[in-house]
Amino acid sequence: MDPAGRALFDAALAATVAVDPYGHGSSAVSGECDRRDATVEGVIIRYYVGGSVLTVTVVRVVSL
């Protein structure tokens, strides 16, 4: 991902998933509520939500 695309992705991630990790069109993976897939700024991500301290860990990024 080029630097300009990365900056757009980071800003979109901060404004969407970081604010509401269960919203913004995300969906649970394999029935696990805290394991999620979403598309952010044209990038498919898979992430985990840690509820006790609200941590979002992106584990897979696929740029389209």
Side-chain angles (χ1 to χ4, degrees):
M1 182 181 304
D2 64 45
R6 175 64 189 262
L8 289 172
F9 171 74
D10 287 347
L13 190 65
T16 58
V17 173
V19 174
D20 180 12
Y22 297 102
H24 302 287
S26 70
S27 58
V29 175
S30 300
E32 294 181 46
C33 178
D34 292 334
R35 183 177 174 200
R36 319 248 348 136
D37 281 341
T39 302
V40 176
E41 194 63 37
V43 177
I44 301 168
I45 60 171
R46 174 161 294 166
Y47 60 96
Y48 293 91
V49 180
S52 61
V53 291
L54 191 53
T55 301
V56 175
T57 304
V58 177
V59 294
R60 181 175 295 165
V61 175
V62 178
S63 183
L64 301 176

